[in-house]
Amino acid sequence: MALKRAFIFRDRDILVEGGGDAAGAETVASFVDADIASRFDDRANACSGILLRPGTPAPEGTEFQPLSAYFFAHDEEENARAARMKGLCSWLEATRFCPSCGQPLQMHSVENALECPACGRLLFPRVEPCIIVLVSRGEELLLLRNVKDTRGVYACLAGFVEIGETLEQAVRREIREETGLEVENIRYVGSQSWPFPDQLMAAFYADYKSGEIRIQESEIADARWFRPDALPPLPRAGSIARRLILNRITEITNTK
Ligand SMILES: [Zn+2]
């Protein structure tokens, strides 16, 4: 297969060339089999995704960059391609054995799917729906610091959608569980593929209705109301959380 494109990943990073574009198909040859954790060949688009093992160095003239920063610097079409290849590589790396009978899986000859040679079970790539929500109380924004955060960053509230729930029910439940607050006027804002490893983030705004902040201490280190002119460190550029926060501040400023 003559490759038109390749995307090379390591953990949450993408390999880029000096100009900031994804390292080209010719760079793939710089890696030996032992460097590669998984490889997905998208035959229809002559495009490959390579997930490198942790610690694999960048070849000369290239460097690793956070994929979220790559998203910030490129357009939606390119980001969708990169997110798709990252998601497929992570899925392949994590899906080696048949969940029904335990045999090693093989790539299906036609479909973008894995097939069990013993029992015939087919496994398709998964997407995990998540919600992310920014809650406002007048001009104040509810921002939270995760227990895993080490950089002092405050972000929006996010969580997985449970089976049987609507997205709006997931928004209400996550806010109630993690902060003890009730919200109203939930508005869908947009969505973003977040392939770390396989999330689809559906983003919302919501307005505070009632309650006092009571954090769920297993998940949240701190949650507070912030005024737009006194914000804490925010999530990286390229993340939907940052876009939600900055767009909301623009809304507030424009209605003054
Ligand atoms: Zn099987």
Side-chain angles (χ1 to χ4, degrees):
M1 174 174 91
L3 280 181
K4 277 193 288 194
R5 288 296 307 270
F7 292 92
I8 301 166
F9 307 99
R10 192 188 68 184
D11 190 26
R12 294 169 75 105
D13 294 344
I14 183 169
L15 190 69
V16 296
E17 291 172 343
D21 285 328
E26 65 284 357
T27 312
V28 173
S30 356
F31 298 103
V32 297
D33 285 353
D35 296 331
I36 296 172
S38 66
R39 172 178 180 144
F40 189 94
D41 294 313
D42 184 353
R43 287 157 290 200
N45 297 304
C47 176
S48 279
I50 311 275
L51 179 65
L52 298 171
R53 293 193 193 284
T56 306
E60 208 178 318
T62 66
E63 61 177 350
F64 289 103
Q65 179 187 69
L67 187 53
S68 58
Y70 190 81
F71 288 160
F72 183 65
H74 293 82
D75 65 23
E76 270 194 8
E77 199 181 326
E78 173 70 1
N79 292 348
R81 270 195 292 266
R84 171 177 156 76
M85 297 320 288
K86 170 69 170 67
L88 287 166
C89 286
S90 301
W91 170 70
L92 268 189
E93 197 223 355
T95 315
R96 304 219 175 262
F97 299 98
C98 175
S100 298
C101 74
Q103 289 297 305
L105 295 164
Q106 297 174 348
M107 208 59 216
H108 191 271
S109 55
V110 183
E111 305 271 3
N112 280 337
L114 288 163
E115 184 177 29
C116 175
C119 74
R121 181 159 172 179
L122 277 183
L123 286 104
F124 290 90
R126 293 197 321 176
V127 175
E128 301 265 12
C130 292
I131 58 89
I132 182 163
V133 54
L134 178 62
V135 181
S136 301
R137 185 174 70 180
E139 291 192 358
E140 293 176 313
L141 310 177
L142 177 69
L143 299 176
L144 308 91
R145 197 160 63 76
N146 194 279
V147 286
K148 292 186 204 141
D149 166 74
T150 53
R151 295 178 297 141
V153 168
Y154 281 75
C156 307
L157 201 148
F160 288 97
V161 179
E162 291 188 352
I163 286 182
E165 270 183 338
T166 65
L167 295 170
E168 292 80 0
Q169 286 167 338
V171 166
R172 280 202 186 82
R173 175 183 51 75
E174 284 288 341
I175 295 171
R176 191 179 300 132
E177 283 177 2
E178 297 195 7
T179 68
L181 302 178
E182 297 294 330
V183 295
E184 58 191 359
N185 193 18
I186 297 171
R187 288 99 78 196
Y188 175 72
V189 178
S191 62
Q192 183 180 39
S193 171
W194 198 242
F196 305 108
D198 52 13
Q199 284 107 283
L200 173 65
M201 309 294 293
F204 293 86
Y205 287 139
D207 293 337
Y208 169 83
K209 185 178 169 198
S210 62
E212 292 293 320
I213 295 175
R214 274 180 290 106
I215 55 172
Q216 186 176 46
E217 288 174 358
S218 57
E219 304 234 350
I220 307 293
D222 189 26
R224 287 187 228 173
W225 296 105
F226 289 94
R227 294 195 54 80
D229 56 2
L231 291 172
L234 297 179
R236 284 180 203 281
S239 64
I240 198 162
R242 189 183 181 91
R243 211 165 77 208
L244 271 177
I245 296 165
L246 297 185
N247 288 354
R248 175 69 190 136
I249 290 170
T250 307
E251 262 184 32
I252 293 170
T253 314
N254 289 346
T255 52
K256 271 192 181 175

